[in-house]
Amino acid sequence: MSRAKFIQIGEALKSGYAIALIVGLTLVHTGCSPTFWADQANSDSYDILAEKSDDPAWELPRVDVDPDPRSRFYDPYDPNHEPLPPDDPAANVYMHWLQCKKGYKSWHKFGRALSIENPDWLVQYGISPEMSAEMAAAGNALPGTELPALEEVTLREAIDIANINSREYQFQIENLFLSALDLTLSRFQFDVKYLGIGGQNPQVDLNRRRLSNGTQELDLSSRMGVNQMLPSGAQWAVEIANNTLWLFSGSNSTSSVSVLSYSLVQPLLLGAGRKVVLNGLTQSERDVLYQTRTLARFRKTFFTDTVGGGNGFLQLLQQLQVIYNQRNNIKLLERQVEIKRALSSQKVNVQQERLEELPDNWIIPPALADKMEYDDESRMLSWKGAMSDEQEKLLLALSDADAYQATVNELISRIRTEVVTLDVAQLETQLASSINTLRTAERRYQDSLGSFKIFMGLPPDMPLSIDESLLKPFQLIDPLLPEIEQEIYDYVEVWATVYVEDWEDPNLVPPTTADMLKVVNGLELLIKRLKTDALLTLDRDIKNIELLLGEDTEGVSEELLALRQRRFESDEDRERVRQSTANDIRLYSGVRKEVNELQSRLDGLRGFLSEDNLSNNQKKKIILEMANLREDMLRISQGMQVIEIGLRVELITLEPFTMNITEAVRIGLDNRLDLMNQRAFVMDARRLMEVRSNQLEAVLNVVVDGDVSTPSGRNRPLDFRGSQASLRAGVEFTAPLSLVQQRNAYRESQIDYQRQRRTFMEAQDNVKFQIRQSWRQLDVLRQNFETSRVQIRLAALQYDSAVEATSDPAQAGRNQGLNLLNALSSVLSAQNSLISNWVNYEQNRLNIYRDMGIMEIDANGIWEDNFYQHRAGTIRPTNEHRQPPPEPTESTSVTGTGDVKQVVFRPAAELNALATETETPAQAP
């Protein structure tokens, strides 16, 4: 092979490689898959977020924009190959057919999703994946199925559920991610970009042409370049372009020409300088910081709203406690109505009706002699007590005279008509009103619970009950004491088996000694319950008080020391509690003595009953003493509850807040993340003024550009020669003569800066006001809570006194019904005030720590506060607290657990029947 031929082949190969290089570099950037770009965006954005979360004040445990797989809105599908979601049928038509045109036929190439929400979100609650998918596809309303019930959800579990399912929380995380995504673009503006002169993208054009002379040619044009924006505003660009032409005629020649171009533009006025050029990047960097702080503050606000918001966990507990208080109040009302009706039925009622004259030869038969009489002077026919059907028939048969028959019928009608005393009427009216109030409270609780579910991201029809352990301190009476009191109260039915109304009745069959011993044995069991159960309960309460008041520290648990610290702010507070409980302890000693006396009296009754041939008079006295014993036991059991209320109410504590108002405000101004952002917004507005003022400048740019090419007509695409080069340099100038839009923008930026200054001042004032308001509220609520302790003591004493007065004959007719109503109202008001002040105090404590910006939230979303870290409960293993769907029920229970019974209203007639009808005697306990 000749040297010339060898050189020719080499040149051809060289030009081919050059063309392939240019074309290859161009084709490399023809495009990557959506997955590549999405992964790259995620990587760049998360790197930025890691940079911005370096300060402990706004450190974030979670910035992943992908939801938890347990969440309702988690998307299990590949986001880059997302199947079509369920669509509205009417709207779906327009995806396939519109204006007689067929739509895109491959919409479903990635498949069709079963549901919009996560089809597997119910699996964690014990539902099979298949059933979970079907229920999700049916909008959680699949016929024949119900959502699983979440029973006794603790505060910690509620926060965990909200963190996983809250749509607002996810929205805030997405806002942070989007701000980081925007920053990646702003940073990219100053990177070297694959863009040529004028911002042209890499390009390849291939054209085949047939000329009129029959010659065929193939033309390949390609170009690619790089450019970069510099912080000074200068922009450089380098671009290489190639044109290769193949002629398929004769000797089949090839011609390839390349041009290497470059450009540099440096603004001197408009768009010049780092303060203008870097402003966009500066703002994007600051925006990510703002959004990071916003999310960090949102976590504090989110915890506060979950726990102490308008429909938060504490508010639900308060509503539950109010319902329990109302139900207990209704029970007390029902009992007093029964007692008052029973007392009312024991009174001898005399009914009168006017009769102008008696019928001729009319006399009162002996069977009615003790029931009726006629007063000639007043001309009144009177009837005493109740009337049997036989007595009614006998009375009507005494005469057929029209006047007599009319008077007797009126008299019978009056007797048959139920007479309700004023006291009973007042109590029953209040009872009906209380039941209506209870129904409203139950409905409001269900509404609040539904709102709380939506706040947590759960369906409102998902059965849920909350853990009530935080209400345990407000159980001021041990359930054992009311249970014992009810047994004593109900024991009247056993006592009634030996009660004799008329000992003078000649046909009387007196109770036997064995019958009376049976009653005594039952009374002894009740006394034993007072001794072993009731007194022991009070013993434990007194021991707890003594531990609380103790001042020794050796061998004392940290928990008890913390309890003392929370309970007593000063020695005066400790002394006040000591004096209050000392009176309760004295009352307790008296009660213990009375219980022992009851046993002595009962032993005396046993002694009497051991004698033979007891007379009726002796039996009468023994039966009366049994009744007195029962009444004294009832009074003692009620007194025990009053004592326990006084003891237990002192054990309720408030979490301390000892910071003074000046220090609280100072801390808030230093630590509020939103205030930091607001201060930075003022600087943003000020910087914008500089940018807008620069837009009023003239265009004055120094421009340098040039190019160098290979020889034309030859197949040497990389043979760049200086003889083929050119260089141009100059200055561009544009006069700023028509800048009305820019002028207005500049003036707007000045006004916006002043607005931002005022907005910051307002935000600062609001921070001060919020902290000062919460501080004052905390101070007042602490005092109100202490007043509520006293109030509930007094209310319990008032009710105890009112109940005693009801059964005291000497107090008859002295507004007993009104006194009872006032006492019951005081008890209910005191109970509701106690829980309300506690919840309001805790809500304001949450608010002030949030507003001071020092509420540290841990990775689980819980405030790092001793109370919430130890009292928020635990997160149980999956499905442990998730119960199967509840069976259909007509119960209107508040919590759905059946532990709170529905109150049944009993009208006056039924209550009266309970007091008078004869029932099967109950067995002794």
Side-chain angles (χ1 to χ4, degrees):
M1 182 181 295
S2 65
R3 178 178 176 85
K5 187 67 174 177
F6 181 81
I7 293 175
Q8 184 179 2
I9 294 174
E11 290 293 336
L13 290 174
K14 185 177 179 181
S15 62
Y17 289 147
I19 296 170
L21 176 64
I22 296 173
V23 174
L25 290 175
T26 304
L27 293 177
V28 162
H29 298 278
T30 55
C32 299
S33 68
T35 302
F36 168 83
W37 290 115
D39 291 343
Q40 187 186 70
N42 289 340
S43 177
D44 292 347
S45 299
Y46 289 136
D47 287 345
I48 288 173
L49 295 180
E51 294 175 16
K52 301 302 179 182
S53 300
D54 58 348
D55 194 305
W58 48 81
E59 185 177 0
L60 300 173
R62 177 199 162 193
V63 294
D64 190 354
V65 75
D66 293 327
D68 190 298
R70 296 169 293 173
S71 171
R72 279 183 71 195
F73 47 75
Y74 174 75
D75 190 348
Y77 307 107
D78 181 355
N80 302 299
H81 302 88
E82 190 79 39
L84 289 184
D87 192 12
D88 173 66
N92 187 260
V93 173
Y94 298 108
M95 293 176 60
H96 304 282
W97 188 263
L98 59 164
Q99 282 193 336
C100 301
K101 302 178 183 67
K102 288 185 178 181
Y104 178 55
K105 65 179 181 180
S106 300
W107 276 117
H108 299 89
K109 63 181 178 180
F110 297 130
R112 184 191 300 273
L114 292 174
S115 63
I116 293 178
E117 69 179 26
N118 179 10
D120 297 328
W121 83 277
L122 290 173
V123 173
Q124 61 186 310
Y125 300 126
I127 305 297
S128 66
E130 296 77 11
M131 181 59 68
S132 174
E134 289 186 29
M135 294 177 68
N140 300 318
L142 187 66
T145 64
E146 292 186 20
L147 290 168
L150 307 186
E151 301 292 352
E152 298 182 357
V153 174
T154 65
L155 176 57
R156 189 179 294 273
E157 288 171 337
I159 292 171
D160 183 57
I161 292 172
N163 285 337
I164 292 173
N165 294 287
S166 171
R167 290 172 278 264
E168 180 62 23
Y169 196 175
Q170 180 66 23
F171 183 78
Q172 293 295 334
I173 292 176
E174 290 168 348
N175 281 345
L176 175 60
F177 182 85
L178 291 176
S179 67
L181 203 59
D182 291 340
L183 177 55
T184 61
L185 176 60
S186 297
R187 289 183 176 182
F188 176 71
Q189 300 302 321
F190 294 91
D191 290 342
V192 176
K193 299 182 286 293
Y194 291 102
L195 298 174
I197 297 174
Q200 294 187 30
N201 287 296
Q203 179 179 349
V204 176
D205 294 329
L206 180 63
N207 297 295
R208 180 179 181 278
R209 292 187 295 272
R210 178 186 292 272
L211 303 181
S212 58
N213 60 4
T215 303
Q216 297 186 39
E217 63 180 23
L218 186 65
D219 185 9
L220 174 65
S221 298
S222 60
R223 67 168 58 236
M224 71 166 295
V226 293
N227 70 18
Q228 184 181 20
M229 171 73 75
L230 301 179
S232 64
Q235 185 171 1
W236 63 265
V238 176
E239 181 181 272
I240 183 171
N242 174 265
N243 181 264
T244 301
L245 181 65
W246 288 274
L247 292 176
F248 301 103
S249 176
S251 60
N252 296 332
S253 63
T254 300
S255 173
S256 180
V257 178
S258 299
V259 178
L260 180 65
S261 304
Y262 56 88
S263 170
L264 174 65
V265 179
Q266 172 64 64
L268 299 179
L269 294 177
L270 179 64
R274 292 175 181 266
K275 73 174 181 180
V276 176
V277 178
L278 296 179
N279 183 68
L281 177 60
T282 302
Q283 188 62 55
S284 295
E285 296 277 0
R286 291 166 69 100
D287 286 344
V288 176
L289 176 62
Y290 300 158
Q291 200 59 48
T292 302
R293 288 174 177 167
T294 298
L295 180 57
R297 174 159 173 79
F298 175 81
R299 295 182 72 239
K300 307 176 194 291
T301 304
F302 188 69
F303 174 82
T304 303
D305 291 343
T306 304
V307 179
N311 291 314
F313 199 89
L314 291 180
Q315 193 64 40
L316 292 175
L317 287 178
Q318 179 181 345
Q319 292 184 23
L320 270 179
Q321 187 62 49
V322 167
I323 289 173
Y324 297 154
N325 293 343
Q326 186 70 30
R327 289 182 171 179
N328 182 65
N329 189 265
I330 288 175
K331 289 180 182 178
L332 297 177
L333 264 172
E334 287 181 321
R335 174 180 292 183
Q336 293 307 315
V337 168
E338 290 182 18
I339 293 174
K340 295 298 292 182
R341 277 208 160 275
L343 292 175
S344 176
S345 65
Q346 295 173 5
K347 297 178 182 178
V348 177
N349 296 320
V350 178
Q351 301 294 339
Q352 296 179 327
E353 195 66 33
R354 187 174 183 81
L355 182 61
E356 292 299 332
E357 60 179 358
L358 290 173
D360 295 337
N361 301 321
W362 185 87
I363 59 173
I364 298 176
L368 303 180
D370 59 341
K371 285 289 188 178
M372 66 178 299
E373 64 179 18
Y374 181 77
D375 188 350
D376 292 327
E377 183 176 351
S378 62
R379 301 192 180 192
M380 299 295 292
L381 180 64
S382 302
W383 182 275
K384 181 170 62 176
M387 178 185 293
S388 66
D389 293 340
E390 293 76 10
Q391 291 171 338
E392 178 183 343
K393 293 177 182 178
L394 182 57
L395 182 60
L396 288 170
L398 292 178
S399 175
D400 293 332
D402 293 339
Y404 174 80
Q405 286 288 324
T407 300
V408 169
N409 281 321
E410 285 292 331
L411 187 62
I412 293 171
S413 176
R414 187 184 296 274
I415 294 170
R416 295 297 188 200
T417 302
E418 181 182 19
V419 178
V420 179
T421 65
L422 178 61
D423 287 346
V424 174
Q426 289 173 332
L427 290 174
E428 287 191 340
T429 300
Q430 182 60 39
L431 178 59
S433 176
S434 297
I435 291 174
N436 286 339
T437 301
L438 174 62
R439 293 192 184 108
T440 300
E442 290 174 340
R443 189 265 305 164
R444 287 176 178 169
Y445 173 78
Q446 292 296 340
D447 291 345
S448 298
L449 187 62
S451 297
F452 188 59
K453 294 175 193 176
I454 292 176
F455 175 82
M456 292 192 297
L458 297 178
D461 55 341
M462 189 171 195
L464 180 144
S465 65
I466 62 174
D467 174 54
E468 301 173 19
S469 59
L470 289 177
L471 290 179
K472 187 175 181 180
F474 296 91
Q475 190 181 65
L476 300 180
I477 300 176
D478 192 291
L480 193 63
L481 296 186
E483 178 185 326
I484 295 174
E485 180 192 1
Q486 187 64 41
E487 290 178 8
I488 297 172
Y489 178 79
D490 294 339
Y491 200 70
V492 68
E493 298 177 359
V494 180
W495 172 83
T497 61
V498 298
Y499 172 70
V500 176
E501 183 175 1
D502 185 3
W503 287 92
E504 303 300 328
D505 187 351
N507 299 320
L508 172 67
V509 179
T512 65
T513 302
D515 293 336
M516 292 190 290
L517 274 174
K518 184 178 178 181
V519 177
V520 169
N521 290 336
L523 290 173
E524 186 168 24
L525 289 175
L526 291 175
I527 293 176
K528 185 177 180 180
R529 290 213 68 187
L530 286 175
K531 282 184 175 181
T532 58
D533 294 336
L535 288 178
L536 285 178
T537 300
L538 291 180
D539 283 338
R540 287 193 296 268
D541 292 332
I542 291 174
K543 184 178 180 180
N544 290 334
I545 285 292
E546 290 173 346
L547 288 174
L548 177 67
L549 291 171
E551 298 184 10
D552 56 316
T553 56
E554 293 186 7
V556 177
S557 66
E558 294 184 3
E559 184 178 355
L560 179 56
L561 291 175
L563 177 65
R564 291 174 180 174
Q565 185 178 5
R566 291 196 304 270
R567 182 64 186 85
F568 305 123
E569 289 187 340
S570 62
D571 292 338
E572 292 79 6
D573 194 19
R574 182 189 296 270
E575 186 59 30
R576 184 196 64 78
V577 175
R578 192 187 304 278
Q579 292 177 3
S580 298
T581 54
N583 183 57
D584 295 322
I585 295 173
R586 283 193 297 271
L587 292 174
Y588 167 76
S589 300
V591 166
R592 179 177 285 276
K593 182 179 179 181
E594 287 187 280
V595 171
N596 292 331
E597 290 176 354
L598 289 176
Q599 186 63 52
S600 299
R601 290 165 60 185
L602 192 67
D603 293 339
L605 285 180
R606 284 189 180 278
F608 283 119
L609 290 173
S610 64
E611 298 178 5
D612 298 330
N613 302 321
L614 291 174
S615 65
N616 284 353
N617 189 45
Q618 289 175 315
K619 290 183 178 181
K620 178 179 179 182
K621 291 180 179 179
I622 291 174
I623 293 172
L624 181 60
E625 177 61 12
M626 291 177 184
N628 291 335
L629 271 173
R630 175 191 160 277
E631 289 294 332
D632 289 341
M633 290 166 62
L634 191 62
R635 174 181 55 79
I636 290 172
S637 68
Q638 292 169 345
M640 286 180 173
Q641 296 178 45
V642 174
I643 294 171
E644 187 170 46
I645 287 173
L647 294 171
R648 289 195 172 187
V649 76
E650 298 296 347
L651 295 173
I652 305 175
T653 63
L654 295 175
E655 293 300 305
F657 183 83
T658 57
M659 198 177 300
N660 63 59
I661 192 169
T662 303
E663 183 182 4
V665 171
R666 180 187 61 79
I667 291 175
L669 294 177
D670 291 341
N671 293 277
R672 275 286 288 267
L673 299 180
D674 56 333
L675 190 61
M676 296 178 189
N677 285 352
Q678 198 64 53
R679 182 183 286 109
F681 293 163
V682 180
M683 178 58 72
D684 291 341
R686 178 62 184 84
R687 289 191 354 267
L688 185 61
M689 287 174 56
E690 296 294 328
V691 175
R692 294 288 172 81
S693 67
N694 179 261
Q695 293 176 355
L696 299 174
E697 299 282 355
V699 175
L700 180 60
N701 299 334
V702 175
V703 179
V704 177
D705 60 45
D707 56 64
V708 57
S709 64
T710 61
S712 60
R714 303 181 64 180
N715 190 19
R716 295 182 178 182
L718 296 180
D719 186 15
F720 295 102
R721 300 183 180 184
S723 60
Q724 301 292 324
S726 65
L727 173 66
R728 295 172 295 279
V731 175
E732 295 178 347
F733 176 78
T734 302
L737 300 180
S738 180
L739 300 177
V740 176
Q741 182 178 356
Q742 291 81 353
R743 176 205 68 184
N744 292 349
Y746 174 63
R747 190 69 186 105
E748 288 172 2
S749 69
Q750 291 178 322
I751 293 174
D752 183 61
Y753 171 65
Q754 298 302 326
R755 286 180 174 177
Q756 288 293 348
R757 290 179 62 243
R758 295 194 299 271
T759 301
F760 169 72
M761 288 184 280
E762 181 183 17
Q764 195 173 45
D765 291 343
N766 282 334
V767 169
K768 294 178 182 179
F769 173 73
Q770 290 166 359
I771 295 174
R772 294 172 67 87
Q773 184 183 44
S774 296
W775 190 94
R776 287 191 293 263
Q777 278 285 86
L778 278 175
D779 187 50
V780 170
L781 287 168
R782 174 174 286 279
Q783 298 177 56
N784 287 352
F785 187 78
E786 296 303 324
T787 302
S788 295
R789 295 186 201 266
V790 179
Q791 181 185 2
I792 205 163
R793 282 174 168 272
L794 296 176
L797 289 171
Q798 180 185 356
Y799 174 71
D800 190 49
S801 299
V803 170
E804 286 191 18
T806 301
S807 58
D808 186 358
Q811 301 288 332
R814 298 187 179 180
N815 296 324
Q816 292 177 345
L818 186 59
N819 292 338
L820 270 173
L821 287 178
N822 290 335
L824 286 168
S825 177
S826 297
V827 169
L828 182 61
S829 175
Q831 289 174 323
N832 291 344
S833 177
L834 188 71
I835 184 64
S836 175
N837 285 326
W838 184 85
V839 169
N840 289 339
Y841 177 88
E842 198 55 37
Q843 287 174 328
N844 277 274
R845 193 172 76 91
L846 289 166
N847 291 342
I848 197 168
Y849 275 97
R850 177 202 62 197
D851 293 340
M852 288 192 299
I854 57 175
M855 176 182 281
E856 299 296 333
I857 306 297
D858 66 16
N860 297 317
I862 306 290
W863 179 21
E864 294 180 357
D865 175 74
N866 182 66
F867 178 82
Y868 290 102
Q869 289 292 326
H870 293 87
R871 299 286 299 278
T874 59
I875 298 179
R876 289 163 284 181
T878 304
N879 295 331
E880 183 175 319
H881 69 304
R882 326 299 192 193
Q883 302 299 324
E887 296 295 331
T889 176
E890 297 180 357
S891 171
T892 57
S893 169
V894 170
T895 61
T897 60
D899 56 338
V900 183
K901 303 301 182 184
Q902 182 183 15
V903 173
V904 179
F905 175 58
R906 289 183 285 182
E910 185 179 344
L911 292 172
N912 189 51
L914 287 174
T916 57
E917 67 182 359
T918 301
E919 300 182 7
T920 303
Q923 297 297 320

